[in-house]
Amino acid sequence: MTDTDADAGWFAGRAADEAAGRDAVDAARDRIADGEADEPRDWPALAVDAGFADSTDDYYDRLREATVAATRATVRERERADDRQLIHAVRAMDDCERTANELAERAAEWAGSLFDDAEPGIEGARAVAAREPEGELERRAVSLAERVVELAAERDALAEAIDRVAPAVAPNLAEMAGPELAARLIALAGGLEPLAKKPSGTVQVLGAEDALFAHLSGRAPSPKHGIIYTHDYVRNTRPEDRGSAARALAGKLTLAARVDHYSGERRETLHAELRERMATIRARAETGNGEDDGAGDADDAPDASEGDA
């Protein structure tokens, strides 16, 4: 709270709030969230002297009510942010896909005991869902197959939503990685801001935490890449060059996330530099050169501190 007079505090201004018809808790919440003081004071005693609270215990009860309201408002605002909604969407999509596949196995096993031509998988569930059941058990088996089809359809709808939303949330990252991979990177990092603050070496191994921890405990080699392996630049590069490709891609993805978070403007130079770097790496297959030519970006090579995901 701004220290405007000797008795100023988060509880100050109650009479003005009441006169303006403002809710006391909402007004206190705003002052707690936005205010500041030059130095601490005996706020409980000041609150009692000002008539805000009947006692110290009453002051702390009111303080708790106001701070809980302030925390809820902050969490609500954060959870409604675009990057958080993207995280919810990609996690929901994965849940739908996993559940649909699991139920499809059950539906196929059940349908196979009832129908001669039942096939496994989502497509098999579609065929069962289109049947006209005869009897209670067939109705239940067909109904289960219908649920599988609905979950698969919801998964596809969520994927389409991610394709539309991701470019608005992170235009450079979505263009460079693709909407779905961009959403997954944001989800693994916990948000666009945390992703933007991570070093490229950490971005490189996001999604490979188990392999990284196994390496740190001496049980496995260091992973070259995490979820970015699904990107064409890594997956479709010959094995001996995938480490270089993963470093180059991770470096540019990190820069893209930073630009998206801090400015939100599309930077064509990032994409052009990545294309040029990948062309150089892939040209090694034609020349037979398996060594790094040193033309990578400064941000491509992670140092030891960047290995911690």
Side-chain angles (χ1 to χ4, degrees):
M1 70 288 312
T2 302
D3 197 357
T4 55
D5 57 69
D7 295 333
W10 67 268
F11 48 82
R14 182 181 59 170
D17 293 333
E18 292 177 349
R22 295 190 67 197
D23 181 86
V25 174
D26 289 341
R29 178 198 68 200
D30 293 342
R31 285 194 289 272
I32 287 174
D34 301 330
E36 60 182 21
D38 293 336
E39 60 185 21
R41 294 184 178 180
D42 188 0
W43 301 115
L46 290 173
V48 172
D49 292 344
F52 174 79
D54 296 332
S55 64
T56 297
D57 288 342
D58 183 36
Y59 166 81
Y60 282 116
D61 288 341
R62 291 171 179 250
L63 176 62
R64 180 184 182 280
E65 182 181 13
T67 52
V68 168
T71 301
R72 285 176 175 168
T74 301
V75 171
R76 187 182 304 113
E77 180 181 1
R78 180 69 188 95
E79 283 299 308
R80 290 178 178 175
D82 291 341
D83 61 335
R84 292 299 303 178
Q85 293 301 307
L86 194 60
I87 291 173
H88 287 306
V90 74
R91 289 176 177 170
M93 181 183 70
D94 289 344
D95 288 342
C96 286
E97 183 172 2
R98 183 183 64 255
T99 305
N101 287 330
E102 290 176 354
L103 287 179
E105 293 180 9
R106 172 58 56 199
E109 184 177 350
W110 193 357
S113 69
L114 295 171
F115 311 114
D116 293 336
D117 56 348
E119 297 292 335
I122 301 297
E123 292 306 315
R126 295 186 197 279
V128 173
R131 285 180 174 273
E132 286 294 333
E134 298 178 1
E136 178 63 21
L137 291 180
E138 286 192 6
R139 279 196 294 273
R140 298 277 58 83
V142 169
S143 178
L144 178 61
E146 290 172 348
R147 301 291 86 77
V148 172
V149 173
E150 289 173 358
L151 278 171
E154 184 61 30
R155 189 271 177 209
D156 293 341
L158 285 165
E160 292 175 359
I162 290 170
D163 287 344
R164 293 191 299 270
V165 174
V169 175
N172 292 286
L173 190 66
E175 179 178 343
M176 188 175 291
E180 184 174 322
L181 178 55
R184 293 188 185 283
L185 288 169
I186 291 172
L188 286 168
L192 181 58
E193 181 177 2
L195 180 63
K197 292 180 178 179
K198 290 186 181 299
S200 63
T202 298
V203 174
Q204 182 177 336
V205 295
L206 280 177
E209 287 77 13
D210 289 344
L212 179 62
F213 294 146
H215 165 66
L216 294 176
S217 63
R219 295 183 287 109
S222 175
K224 293 182 179 180
H225 41 62
I227 196 173
I228 64 171
Y229 174 77
T230 60
H231 197 289
D232 286 344
Y233 280 167
V234 180
R235 186 179 66 249
N236 292 334
T237 298
R238 63 177 184 165
E240 54 266 44
D241 290 330
R242 282 178 187 161
S244 297
R247 286 193 298 273
L249 178 60
K252 292 307 180 185
L253 289 174
T254 301
L255 294 176
R258 291 170 185 171
V259 172
D260 288 337
H261 174 64
Y262 292 108
S263 74
E265 298 177 355
R266 183 183 179 280
R267 298 281 179 84
E268 172 56 29
T269 54
L270 287 176
H271 307 282
E273 289 170 359
L274 178 59
R275 291 191 295 268
E276 181 179 352
R277 176 63 178 144
M278 290 309 305
T280 300
I281 291 173
R282 290 182 170 181
R284 298 176 193 164
E286 299 177 2
T287 62
N289 180 12
E291 300 296 328
D292 196 322
D293 56 14
D297 300 292
D299 203 21
D300 286 350
D303 59 28
S305 66
E306 293 177 343
D308 298 328

